[in-house]
Amino acid sequence: GKGRVWCAPGTPGTARRIDPRSGGYRSGIRIKQRIGVQINLGTMASQESSDFRGLVDCLFFPENVFDSIGSSSASTTPSAAGAPASSSFASAGASAPASRRAAARGGARPGADAPSSKRQRTEKVGAGAASDTRTDNETSSNHSTSSDAGGDSDNPDEREENRKERNRRHARETRLRKKNYMHSLQQQLEAMTEERNLLEKEIQEKMNAECGQHSRWVKTVRCALALRAAGCPDVDQWRKFVDEEIVLVHPITPYRSFRTGDVVSNRCVLMGIPDIIQDASSLLVSLAALCKTGVHDAERKIKVQVRFAIDDEALHFSEEGLMCPFEMKTVNLEALGLRTEVSKNGCLRAQFNEEGRLKHLELCFDPISFWRQMQQANTGSQISSIDDLLLAPNTLEQALSHSKEARVVTEAARPFRITHVNSAWTDLCGFTQEEACGQTLRCLQGEDTDGNTVAQLVEDCNDGKATSMEVTNYDKEGKKFRNFLQVYPLTSEKSSSGEISHMLGVLKPLGPKH
């Protein structure tokens, strides 16, 4: 058949002929000589040359040639020894094809049935020849398997049947590989689907947990703002929603009382529940002062009411808290005699501790705008400059400055002895400054003075809070008058600690004396 015989140049190699029908190697023969040739068997074999057959045997099957020459030399006459070499090649080649074909089909090496002289020469090769023999056996075994699978039969029908059988086997193997591949893809898909479902479930659970946490945060902020709007003095109520060490930050508000020691970087920074309560009380006192309504008033049943609202549509959450716009608005100033309600809009940022209580609250708003609204609601006129706005005195130096209001300064602790009065106070109450200093405000109380209202105000003063009340007082001559009293805690500008040093009382008459 047509094919190629290859030999690696320079080193012993394996000559293999390629089967043009199956594409596989038909046989493998070790080449002992160090040669490098390429022989087109299809072309040269067509010459039907005895020289060619002898050349092939000499190159690739030298043992056949040598055995043939040895046997012929023993049986021939001397005259035959001088025959041409081509006749020797021809005689060797004439007997070789059948043995080679049988060896190729049977899986044995050509020359396996050679005389004992050949075997003796082969035994002298040593370890290298044994290795070559093992290689030849493995190659022959592979060739035998290939021949069985592909079929090297001379019968065309048998070859066709072998080809069909091989195709069917390949088809079965292909279907099996596809089936296994589809099965592996299905397993991968199921694993990925399960992983996705677990991830979606985890995300959903996390979202549900965050949603529940966010709802609790919003509720906590609403409750804290409600306590601030009501000026709740109950510490236990605050503890339900805020941390013991809560921090409240807001802009400086000149229209109401604050401690100068709480000012940090032009902002009021309040720490702890007691400071939060004082700040909430100060806000209500400043609003009640607009309509001369005290936070402690036995006669009036209507108090100043404030409402805080947050925008649920603009909530923004983080890992530690939330941020949202808010609005603070009064609801009954018009009912208390003012011209309009006041409100302020801003933004708040809240942070929470691990227990869900409020630990940090920051309020951002425009205090000057709200200050102007308060003044317009009180007077009904536009404010032309900031100098027309009323300032809340927060330091002793501000309290002792000139004022048309009746002012009295007392000590910061009980029994709150008088340390200073201004001329407006002496005109209203009838006592001189020398007579008033060292006394307590009991000198202004009489038969119609409401002791419970006074006691509540004194308790606020003892706590250092801003407070107010409507009360009936008496002057030095015993004349009775109704007045609105507003109290501010004072600190000294010379003190670095910011502790409360005095209390300021501002008296505003509500009617004539009688």
Side-chain angles (χ1 to χ4, degrees):
K2 293 183 178 181
R4 290 183 182 273
V5 178
W6 292 88
C7 177
T11 59
T14 301
R16 293 179 288 182
R17 186 158 63 89
I18 302 175
D19 187 355
R21 294 187 299 274
S22 65
Y25 296 120
R26 291 291 305 277
S27 63
I29 300 93
R30 292 290 295 183
I31 307 300
K32 302 301 189 296
Q33 291 78 9
R34 291 179 177 269
I35 60 176
V37 299
Q38 175 180 340
I39 303 173
N40 192 323
L41 297 179
T43 301
M44 298 185 67
S46 64
Q47 299 177 6
E48 295 295 333
S49 172
S50 60
D51 292 340
F52 168 69
R53 291 194 295 271
L55 176 62
V56 171
D57 285 341
C58 181
L59 291 177
F60 301 107
F61 308 102
E63 61 272 16
N64 296 340
V65 177
F66 296 149
D67 293 344
S68 176
I69 292 175
S71 60
S72 63
S73 297
S75 60
T76 57
T77 62
S79 61
S86 60
S87 63
S88 300
F89 292 151
S91 61
S95 60
S99 62
R100 288 198 299 273
R101 284 195 297 271
R105 292 172 183 170
R109 289 184 56 186
D113 297 332
S116 60
S117 60
K118 170 185 171 294
R119 289 194 297 270
Q120 292 174 357
R121 288 194 299 271
T122 304
E123 291 173 356
K124 295 179 181 180
V125 174
S131 175
D132 294 342
T133 304
R134 286 193 299 270
T135 304
D136 294 341
N137 291 336
E138 294 173 0
T139 307
S140 299
S141 176
N142 294 336
H143 167 67
S144 177
T145 304
S146 175
S147 299
D148 294 339
D152 194 20
S153 175
D154 295 335
N155 188 346
D157 295 337
E158 184 177 352
R159 288 199 301 269
E160 181 66 17
E161 183 63 27
N162 292 337
R163 184 185 64 80
K164 292 181 179 180
E165 178 62 25
R166 183 174 64 253
N167 292 341
R168 286 192 291 267
R169 185 177 67 251
H170 290 339
R172 289 193 299 271
E173 293 175 353
T174 301
R175 288 193 296 270
L176 182 60
R177 287 195 300 270
K178 290 182 179 180
K179 182 178 180 181
N180 293 337
Y181 181 66
M182 292 299 296
H183 182 66
S184 64
L185 288 181
Q186 183 67 23
Q187 289 180 339
Q188 294 179 12
L189 179 60
E190 292 176 356
M192 294 173 65
T193 302
E194 183 179 1
E195 183 179 359
R196 183 199 63 185
N197 294 337
L198 291 176
L199 181 60
E200 290 180 352
K201 182 179 179 181
E202 182 180 355
I203 293 175
Q204 186 64 34
E205 291 177 353
K206 184 177 181 181
M207 290 178 61
N208 293 337
E210 289 180 352
C211 183
Q213 184 183 56
H214 293 170
S215 299
R216 291 190 296 271
W217 283 355
V218 173
K219 181 179 178 180
T220 298
V221 171
R222 291 184 188 276
C223 293
L225 293 179
L227 293 177
R228 178 176 174 80
C232 178
D234 190 353
V235 176
D236 293 333
Q237 290 293 328
W238 283 91
R239 285 180 180 146
K240 295 179 181 179
F241 308 104
V242 303
D243 190 81
E244 287 283 353
E245 299 179 356
I246 182 175
V247 177
L248 173 64
V249 181
H250 63 72
I252 295 176
T253 51
Y255 52 84
R256 65 188 183 97
S257 174
F258 61 89
R259 293 183 300 183
T260 56
D262 295 334
V263 178
V264 179
S265 300
N266 293 323
R267 296 186 303 172
C268 288
V269 180
L270 308 169
M271 303 180 65
I273 294 178
D275 288 356
I276 302 299
I277 294 176
Q278 293 181 11
D279 186 76
S281 176
S282 173
L283 175 63
L284 291 181
V285 168
S286 62
L287 292 174
L290 295 176
C291 49
K292 297 181 175 61
T293 300
V295 294
H296 301 297
D297 189 354
E299 295 183 4
R300 290 199 182 188
K301 302 300 181 182
I302 301 177
K303 305 295 182 182
V304 174
Q305 296 180 4
V306 179
R307 295 288 184 270
F308 278 91
I310 59 177
D311 188 358
D312 293 336
E313 300 298 329
L315 288 169
H316 298 277
F317 296 95
S318 66
E319 294 182 358
E320 296 183 351
L322 62 86
M323 179 182 294
C324 67
F326 77 93
E327 180 187 27
M328 190 206 77
K329 185 176 182 180
T330 60
V331 296
N332 63 343
L333 290 186
E334 293 180 352
L336 293 173
L338 295 188
R339 299 176 181 273
T340 183
E341 304 292 339
V342 296
S343 64
K344 62 181 177 184
N345 297 298
C347 182
L348 66 84
R349 182 169 65 94
Q351 295 180 353
F352 302 85
N353 59 15
E354 296 179 354
E355 298 176 354
R357 292 199 293 266
L358 194 61
K359 69 175 184 179
H360 185 95
L361 179 62
E362 183 174 357
L363 304 176
C364 298
F365 56 90
D366 184 2
I368 303 302
S369 174
F370 187 68
W371 195 8
R372 290 178 180 273
Q373 289 186 54
M374 293 173 62
Q375 194 77 352
Q376 292 174 9
N378 188 24
T379 62
S381 59
Q382 296 291 333
I383 304 302
S384 59
S385 67
I386 195 171
D387 295 332
D388 297 333
L389 297 173
L390 298 178
L391 291 173
N394 292 304
T395 64
L396 180 61
E397 289 74 14
Q398 291 176 352
L400 296 179
S401 62
H402 177 72
S403 176
K404 296 180 181 180
E405 299 174 322
R407 293 185 174 183
V408 54
V409 178
T410 69
E411 297 174 346
R414 292 188 179 188
F416 303 105
R417 291 187 177 87
I418 299 174
T419 61
H420 181 81
V421 294
N422 65 354
S423 58
W425 188 89
T426 58
D427 292 341
L428 177 63
C429 299
F431 295 92
T432 65
Q433 183 170 352
E434 291 76 9
E435 293 173 340
C437 288
Q439 295 193 54
T440 66
L441 292 176
R442 290 182 179 274
C443 64
L444 300 180
Q445 298 176 11
E447 182 180 357
D448 293 336
T449 302
D450 188 351
N452 292 330
T453 303
V454 173
Q456 293 175 1
L457 182 135
V458 171
E459 188 65 28
D460 288 343
C461 292
N462 193 48
D463 294 337
K465 297 192 302 184
T467 184
S468 62
M469 70 175 181
E470 284 187 48
V471 65
T472 300
N473 284 334
Y474 295 84
D475 63 7
K476 182 179 178 180
E477 297 179 356
K479 294 182 180 180
K480 183 171 61 174
F481 63 94
R482 189 78 175 168
N483 74 92
F484 171 72
L485 174 62
Q486 190 172 0
V487 179
Y488 300 90
L490 302 175
T491 59
S492 176
E493 294 178 354
K494 299 178 181 180
S495 175
S496 59
S497 61
E499 295 294 330
I500 298 174
S501 60
H502 296 80
M503 302 295 292
L504 169 65
V506 179
L507 282 71
K508 299 178 181 180
L510 299 178
K513 295 181 181 180
H514 53 84

